Amino acid sequence: MNQTLFDNAPWAGGQPRLSVLIPFKGDDPCDLLATLGREPVAAEIVVLDDGTADAGLTDRVRAQIEALPLPARLVTLARNEGRAKGRNRLVSHARAGHFLFLDSDMAPDSSDFLGRWLNLIAQDDPPVAFGGFSLLQVEPRPDQALHRAMAGHSDCLPASERMAAPEKHVFTSNLLVRRDVFAAEGFDEGFAGWGWEDVEWGMRVARRWPILHIDNTATHLGLDSAATIAAKYEQSAANFARVVAAHPQVVRTYPSYRVARLLRRAPLRGLWRPMIKAYALNGLAPLKTRAFAMRLYRAALYAEAV
């Protein structure tokens, strides 16, 4: 069997109104678990180790879960299942009427983070809501400067701006979903590698339910190096093609799609695309131009999919 379960003592008697669902692979979620455990609310936590195969990390997470006052379960997988399938598996263990998908490298920005979500559930019972990103708790590091600049420009947006394109700003890092919505629309397990499975899910859901955006942010602590960003973009090209095929009318409104279409007409992409990447990775170049080059590199990759 691929999964092993570990429950803490409060799990058996838990009657949660909110299930917090946290996947990880290699990252240590213990700090996040400790933070969430400080809120005395009607919530449970389900953690999925998606095939890390690190006995020491498993022991630390189990010890943290055992110490939590909130009901908590650890699901440990012997083999990696991936982002979409892993989150679908998390839902199969959830018992509440609403799910909060929260990445393991996030840190709530308020001491009543879960309480705010529960108040929203009590008042509005939203089908879907996204709380937002921030960088408030991240210490600046030179090797993460490019990611910080890019995230600040496109990801760390207030709710008022995200509502302009609600399905576009749906990420599983801080996402509330009602049980009946997820029962009708789960994550597409055809996605592989990194990227787009959550945005594609948002596109499907937006056809049937409103997507609410609020300001209940968590800091994204896991900023990447420039080389890691480039590698993730390279992984995501096939996923982008899958989204284009499923939702052409929506994707055509995105700037990344329009730029990719323009670049598709440009000759010799195999020659100039590596040069754009090299500039984006150059730590001595001005940060704004590096960020532009990285976005252009992503569009050049996506040109193969449009």
Side-chain angles (χ1 to χ4, degrees):
M1 191 171 182
N2 191 32
Q3 73 174 14
T4 302
L5 306 182
F6 174 78
D7 300 337
N8 67 0
W11 177 267
Q15 295 181 321
R17 291 193 293 126
L18 176 64
S19 296
V20 186
L21 308 179
I22 305 172
F24 74 95
K25 185 179 185 299
D27 296 324
D28 188 336
C30 288
D31 287 346
L32 174 58
L33 294 173
T35 298
L36 296 175
R38 297 187 188 108
E39 289 196 58
V41 294
E44 68 180 7
I45 301 173
V46 185
V47 185
L48 176 76
D49 179 352
D50 195 6
T52 299
D54 181 336
L57 179 57
T58 299
D59 289 344
R60 291 195 299 276
V61 176
R62 286 179 62 146
Q64 183 63 63
I65 284 177
E66 192 170 24
L68 286 176
L70 298 180
R73 163 171 285 182
L74 171 63
V75 183
T76 303
L77 301 185
R79 298 179 305 278
N80 175 253
E81 291 189 334
R83 293 162 60 90
K85 189 172 183 178
R87 287 177 171 86
N88 287 343
R89 183 185 286 270
L90 272 168
V91 167
S92 72
H93 294 274
R95 301 177 295 183
H98 284 80
F99 314 136
L100 177 64
F101 292 97
L102 193 61
D103 282 352
S104 61
D105 59 358
M106 303 296 284
D109 288 328
S110 63
S111 59
D112 59 344
F113 175 75
L114 296 181
R116 291 184 182 189
W117 280 121
L118 283 162
N119 286 339
L120 180 69
I121 291 168
Q123 293 170 10
D124 299 329
D125 191 28
V128 181
F130 182 65
F133 284 139
S134 87
L135 298 173
L136 295 174
Q137 301 179 64
V138 180
E139 292 294 330
R141 284 174 34 182
D143 64 318
Q144 298 175 344
L146 181 63
H147 195 178
R148 187 183 186 92
M150 295 178 70
H153 177 265
S154 61
D155 293 337
C156 300
L157 302 176
S160 57
E161 293 186 31
R162 286 184 260 124
M163 280 301 297
E167 85 293 332
K168 183 179 180 180
H169 300 284
V170 169
F171 308 107
T172 48
S173 52
N174 186 12
L175 178 67
L176 183 77
V177 185
R178 202 170 61 201
R179 175 178 286 276
D180 64 298
V181 174
F182 201 88
E185 298 285 358
F187 291 111
D188 179 356
E189 296 182 5
F191 283 89
W194 182 86
W196 289 98
E197 77 284 342
D198 43 10
V199 177
E200 189 278 333
W201 179 87
M203 293 175 183
R204 276 187 282 125
V205 167
R207 296 170 177 171
R208 303 173 61 183
W209 293 277
I211 296 176
L212 177 66
H213 285 268
I214 69 169
D215 291 312
N216 187 22
T217 61
T219 292
H220 182 203
L221 299 174
L223 295 181
D224 294 320
S225 67
T228 300
I229 295 171
K232 286 184 174 179
Y233 286 165
E234 289 156 6
Q235 290 179 35
S236 73
N239 285 352
F240 182 72
R242 190 175 181 88
V243 177
V244 172
H247 308 277
Q249 298 303 321
V250 178
V251 179
R252 284 171 187 162
T253 66
Y254 291 2
S256 56
Y257 176 87
R258 294 196 293 266
V259 175
R261 290 285 293 178
L262 288 172
L263 293 179
R264 185 172 179 81
R265 303 172 192 167
L268 304 174
R269 285 193 301 275
L271 293 179
W272 52 259
R273 191 166 60 197
M275 297 172 64
I276 296 173
K277 177 181 178 181
Y279 186 87
L281 299 183
N282 182 0
L284 299 178
L287 195 57
K288 286 186 178 181
T289 58
R290 289 180 64 204
F292 174 79
M294 187 63 84
R295 289 192 292 269
L296 191 63
Y297 178 62
R298 177 181 60 189
L301 292 166
Y302 290 177
E304 309 299 330
V306 298

